[in-house]
Amino acid sequence: MKIGIIGYGKMGKAIEKMALYHGHVIILKINSKNTHELNTKTLSDIDIAIEFSTPTSAFKNISFCLMNNTPVISGTTGWIEKIDEIRILCEQQKGAFLYAENFSIGMNIFFQLNNYLAQLMIATDYKLQIEETHHASKKDTPSGTAIKIQSDLNKSFKKDDIIPIKSNRIGNIRGEHAVEYFSEFDSIHIKHTAHNREGFAKGVILATEFLKNKTGVFSMRDVIKN
């Protein structure tokens, strides 16, 4: 597949490396210095766009791709309040869009484990807390992954009060997410730890291959089921 990467930072470079390993071709690489190269002509040269930019740029980038009939995958967090607009636009354009707060296969298994555990805990008196830790330069706090975990738990427990998230920004940590249930008697703790960016990049490429020749709005759950 001919791929365009929108957001050619550390994650974009990891995606490029993984894409090349899997036999794909990188046609377009957009960073903050060459945004003018993202245009109708360059989009016509690619099969799919992978968008990992910034919270302030993501909505505009994704919309532009969909308006130009270019399937797009996005992993940018911090702009989710506008995602319903993207879903509507994708349906209007009969396009293809896949979004994930986290592309790690292990993290997406964690999401399902978290939902299953929550169902078992509904009738108990345990309190719970979400904790996430990332590198010091991460721009959004809390992380999009932690917000998804929080949203899933709030849906399961139908809570009026929002489950707290403890966010840490330390050193060069790739990403840690944990959910803890605790009482005066004991604790239950589930945790996912990312060791490197390659795990995320592999998930992105799997999602890219999944989205080929499809129409609609998808998530990593669809990719894992496939």
Side-chain angles (χ1 to χ4, degrees), residues 75-186:
T76 306
T77 58
W79 65 278
I80 288 304
E81 70 279 358
K82 292 186 175 181
I83 197 165
D84 286 341
E85 294 179 50
I86 291 296
R87 290 191 178 108
I88 292 169
L89 177 61
C90 183
E91 291 171 3
Q92 290 174 341
Q93 294 294 118
K94 295 181 172 55
F97 172 64
L98 188 150
Y99 175 76
E101 297 84 354
N102 193 306
F103 280 87
S104 161
I105 299 301
M107 190 70 240
N108 280 275
I109 292 171
F110 178 99
F111 290 147
Q112 295 188 42
L113 176 62
N114 177 55
N115 292 335
Y116 177 71
L117 179 58
Q119 294 303 310
L120 298 178
M121 301 298 290
I122 285 173
T124 72
D125 294 326
Y126 284 81
K127 296 180 181 179
L128 69 154
Q129 176 180 281
I130 304 161
E131 183 169 4
E132 59 98 356
T133 304
H134 282 86
H135 52 85
S137 61
K138 185 170 176 60
K139 295 177 181 178
D140 55 325
T141 303
S143 70
T145 300
I147 292 171
K148 174 174 172 51
I149 293 170
Q150 181 190 60
S151 175
D152 288 348
L153 289 172
N154 277 323
K155 288 176 185 175
S156 293
F157 286 95
K158 297 180 173 61
K159 281 181 167 289
D160 294 327
D161 56 321
I162 297 176
I163 298 165
I165 299 174
K166 180 181 178 182
S167 295
N168 308 300
R169 295 292 175 264
I170 304 169
N172 196 37
I173 294 175
R174 297 297 182 210
E176 296 177 355
H177 294 87
V179 174
E180 181 180 12
Y181 292 85
F182 56 94
S183 71
E184 60 179 308
F185 307 113
D186 57 15

Side-chain angles (χ1 to χ4, degrees), residues 42-54:
T42 56
L43 286 181
S44 69
D45 294 332
I46 64 175
D47 297 315
I48 192 165
I50 298 174
E51 202 277 341
F52 272 79
S53 61
T54 65

